[in-house]
């Protein structure tokens, strides 16, 4: 008998059996209405593995009586696509073909352009799937001719019924009923990272390795924890997850949520990506804390240096210290706004000539005996003297605005007092 993975055996055959995705497949969901209507456009399914993309393609093929042909872009070529098209109108595909192209992001631009021939035929329907954001990885001409639907990671509540059904099916296959310790089903549903396939693989492994007592297979929580360890981690250093977690860390620091920041730091460290965490932490010290607590940059740099010298796992401690410091520090984006405004003027060509008194002294060499007129601030009270620094074209421009925090307001009051007295 040919071996069939549990994940394939349990695959839903109707829309009502599909786990999760209620936002598009629930009653009234747009994709459900399209499928039930029977006029299937070219589609792009976007989302993590194990969330039902292939399953829905199978259901569409059955409902439309079209022959389903599957290709994976990591190994397929254009000749494979042409072979599929060649089946149209033959006994192999009398009602047309539904071409399911998995991982379309691995097709280069030329290969994706060649798919336009497929997309524009009435007897071939293309359903492409990708785990990456299609708006970054799929050619615009393909996108404009397709409808994009996002498949979201499955929640633990979504997966519990599927896990329970998996244990029942495996019990029927092995001729013994699963006897699960308390928490086994919930742990698998939680630890699989929203991937139904991973959950089914865990169930299958647990059942095949369980101790048998007559017609009972004992499934322990300890075994479930061992099988499912780290399976909740979805991380690709070159994919969307990399940028999403880095973004979530940065935004949690900016939002002053130390718990969330520690969570995303932990996910990066668990994936072994300490460098991404360090880059975000160093940036946040200036971008989000800035002048509200200037010493944060020094402390964070020291923490980063310690982390790099220690290496993982010990590096987690100084990095966690830096994250908590930044998340709980007062915030100011005055530096971001100031340098952004200054660069905008430079890019717009607003530069002008340097004021004569700011030029380097070399301008007075070669017999050019001109009085530079520079006033040395340290020769004046409070180390400040009024003089022009900006080019004439930018005279009066203000880029830096003091933030509404104790540190910057103290600096504002100090300089307003001095410049008011001396000006």
């Amino acid at each position: 008998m040919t071996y069939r993975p549990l994940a394939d055996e349990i695959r839903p055959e109707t829309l009502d059996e599909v786990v999760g995705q209620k936002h598009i497949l629930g009653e009234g969901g747009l994709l459900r209405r399209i499928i039930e209507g029977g006029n299937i456009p070219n589609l792009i399914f976007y989302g993590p593995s194990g969330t039902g993309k292939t399953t829905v393609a199978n259901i569409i093929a059955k409902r439309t009586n079209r022959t389903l042909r599957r290709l994976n872009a990591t190994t397929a070529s254009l000749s494979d696509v042409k072979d599929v098209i060649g089946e149209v109108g033959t006994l192999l595909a009398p009602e047309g073909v539904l071409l399911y192209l998995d991982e379309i992001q691995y097709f280069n631009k030329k290969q994706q352009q060649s798919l336009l021939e497929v997309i524009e035929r009435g007897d071939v329907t293309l359903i492409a799937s990708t785990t990456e954001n299609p708006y970054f990885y799929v050619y615009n001409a393909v996108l404009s001719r397709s409808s994009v639907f996002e498949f979201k990671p499955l929640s633990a509540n979504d997966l519990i019924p599927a896990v329970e059904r998996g244990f029942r099916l495996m019990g029927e296959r092995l001729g013994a009923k699963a006897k699960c310790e308390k928490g086994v089903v919930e742990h698998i549903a939680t630890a699989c990272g929203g991937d139904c396939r991973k959950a089914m693989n865990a169930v299958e492994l647990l059942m095949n390795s369980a101790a048998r007592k007559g017609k009972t297979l004992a499934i322990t929580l300890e075994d479930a924890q061992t099988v499912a360890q780290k399976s909740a981690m979805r991380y690709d250093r070159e994919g969307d997850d990399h940028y999403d977690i880095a973004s979530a860390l940065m935004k949690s620091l900016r939002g002053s949520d130390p718990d969330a920041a520690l969570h995303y730091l932990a996910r990066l460290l668990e994936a072994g990506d300490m460098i991404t965490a360090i880059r975000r932490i160093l940036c946040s010290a200036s971008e989000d804390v800035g002048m509200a607590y200037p010493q944060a940059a020094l402390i964070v740099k020291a923490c980063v240096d310690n982390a790099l010298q220690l290496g993982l796992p010990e590096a987690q401690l100084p990095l966690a210290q830096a994250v908590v410091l930044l998340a709980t520090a007062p915030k100011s984006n005055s530096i971001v706004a100031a340098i952004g405004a200054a660069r905008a003027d430079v890019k717009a060509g607003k530069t002008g000539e340097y004021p004569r008194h700011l030029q380097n002294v070399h301008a007075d060499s070669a017999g050019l005996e001109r009085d530079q007129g520079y006033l040395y601030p340290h020769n004046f009270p409070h180390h400040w003297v009024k003089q022009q620094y900006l080019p004439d074209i930018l005279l009066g421009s203000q880029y830096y605005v003091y933030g509404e925090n104790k540190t910057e307001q103290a600096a504002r009051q100090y300089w307003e007092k001095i410049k008011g007295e001396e000006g």
Side-chain angles (χ1 to χ4, degrees):
M1 181 178 178
T2 304
Y3 167 72
R4 186 183 182 191
L6 177 62
D8 287 340
E9 185 177 344
I10 204 173
R11 193 182 295 277
E13 296 185 357
T14 67
L15 293 177
D16 290 331
E17 294 175 350
V18 175
V19 176
Q21 313 312 330
K22 300 304 180 186
H23 62 295
I24 53 176
L25 294 175
E27 289 298 327
L30 180 57
L31 182 55
R32 185 186 187 102
R33 300 202 309 269
I34 290 172
I35 296 171
E36 291 177 341
N39 294 317
I40 312 298
N42 298 295
L43 301 168
I44 295 177
F45 292 163
Y46 155 50
S49 299
T51 52
K53 300 188 295 296
T54 303
T55 294
V56 174
N58 288 333
I59 293 172
I60 292 173
K62 289 180 180 179
R63 291 186 67 103
T64 58
N65 293 318
R66 289 198 168 190
T67 301
L68 178 66
R69 290 288 180 262
R70 291 185 57 183
L71 296 176
N72 191 299
T74 59
T75 56
S77 64
L78 291 179
S79 63
D80 295 319
V81 175
K82 291 178 180 177
D83 288 343
V84 171
I85 296 174
E87 295 181 4
V88 175
T90 69
L91 293 177
L92 293 174
E95 302 297 327
V97 170
L98 190 152
L99 172 58
Y100 182 70
L101 180 61
D102 201 9
E103 305 291 358
I104 188 176
Q105 72 270 18
Y106 288 106
F107 263 14
N108 59 35
K109 184 176 180 179
K110 182 179 179 181
Q111 289 173 310
Q112 290 192 34
Q113 286 176 318
S114 299
L115 291 174
L116 296 178
E117 178 186 352
V118 178
I119 290 175
E120 292 170 350
R121 294 177 61 118
D123 48 11
V124 178
T125 299
L126 173 69
I127 299 181
S129 73
T130 175
T131 56
E132 306 293 351
N133 191 326
Y135 296 99
F136 296 153
Y137 292 91
V138 178
Y139 181 52
N140 283 336
V142 175
L143 274 176
S144 66
R145 292 167 172 81
S146 307
S147 298
V148 179
F149 288 93
E150 180 180 3
F151 283 62
K152 297 181 180 180
L154 304 175
S155 69
N157 288 335
D158 290 332
L159 283 167
I160 285 176
V163 173
E164 291 173 340
R165 183 167 173 241
F167 276 119
R168 288 197 300 271
L169 287 176
M170 281 300 297
E172 293 171 5
R173 181 189 294 184
L174 298 173
K177 184 179 180 180
K179 185 178 180 180
C180 298
E181 284 185 354
K182 184 179 180 181
V184 165
V185 171
E186 292 77 6
H187 179 77
I188 294 173
T190 302
C192 68
D195 186 328
C196 190
R197 188 180 297 110
K198 283 184 178 180
M200 292 306 102
N201 290 343
V203 169
E204 187 170 10
L205 182 58
L206 285 168
M207 289 290 282
N208 285 331
S209 61
R212 180 186 286 263
K213 294 181 181 179
K215 292 289 186 177
T216 301
L217 291 170
I219 310 298
T220 68
L221 180 57
E222 182 180 359
D223 284 346
Q225 291 170 338
T226 300
V227 167
Q229 64 182 346
K230 289 192 177 182
S231 63
M233 283 292 297
R234 297 195 324 273
Y235 190 76
D236 179 353
R237 293 196 188 202
E238 296 181 358
D240 285 350
D241 283 333
H242 166 85
Y243 298 104
D244 287 344
I245 295 178
S247 175
L249 171 60
M250 192 77 170
K251 289 172 181 174
S252 297
L253 293 172
R254 184 177 303 137
S256 302
D257 189 329
D259 300 309
L262 286 168
H263 169 76
Y264 295 115
L265 172 65
R267 288 174 68 164
L268 286 168
L269 297 183
E270 193 68 15
D273 192 357
M274 186 169 69
I275 298 303
T276 293
I278 286 173
R279 286 174 59 87
R280 294 298 89 203
I281 290 168
L282 287 172
C283 183
S284 181
S286 295
E287 182 175 348
D288 301 315
V289 176
M291 296 305 296
Y293 182 35
Q295 297 92 331
L298 298 175
I299 299 171
V300 166
K301 179 60 166 61
C303 288
V304 165
D305 288 345
N306 288 346
L308 291 172
Q309 286 187 320
L310 289 169
L312 288 171
E314 290 84 355
Q316 66 183 319
L317 300 177
L319 291 180
Q321 180 182 357
V323 159
V324 171
L325 171 72
L326 293 173
T328 57
K331 302 297 188 294
S332 172
N333 70 336
S334 58
I335 293 300
V336 177
I339 189 61
R343 293 193 68 181
D345 273 353
V346 171
K347 289 178 181 178
K350 296 180 181 180
T351 52
E353 294 296 326
Y354 316 102
R356 170 74 186 92
H357 54 277
L358 297 189
Q359 288 181 295
N360 194 300
V361 292
H362 70 76
D364 297 325
S365 61
L368 298 177
E369 300 298 337
R370 297 181 298 173
D371 180 22
Q372 190 180 37
Y374 172 61
L375 302 177
Y376 188 57
H378 297 298
N379 289 337
F380 294 84
H382 305 297
H383 306 271
W384 181 82
V385 62
K386 186 176 182 179
Q387 65 183 327
Q388 179 179 338
Y389 291 96
L390 280 169
D392 290 342
I393 192 175
L394 292 171
L395 203 57
S397 296
Q398 182 180 7
Y399 300 124
Y400 174 66
V401 177
Y402 292 101
E404 296 179 359
N405 56 80
K406 183 177 179 180
T407 302
E408 288 182 272
Q409 286 301 306
R412 179 186 64 79
Q413 292 170 10
Y414 172 82
W415 284 111
E416 283 183 353
K417 182 176 183 298
I418 290 175
K419 292 179 180 181
E421 290 177 357
E422 304 295 332

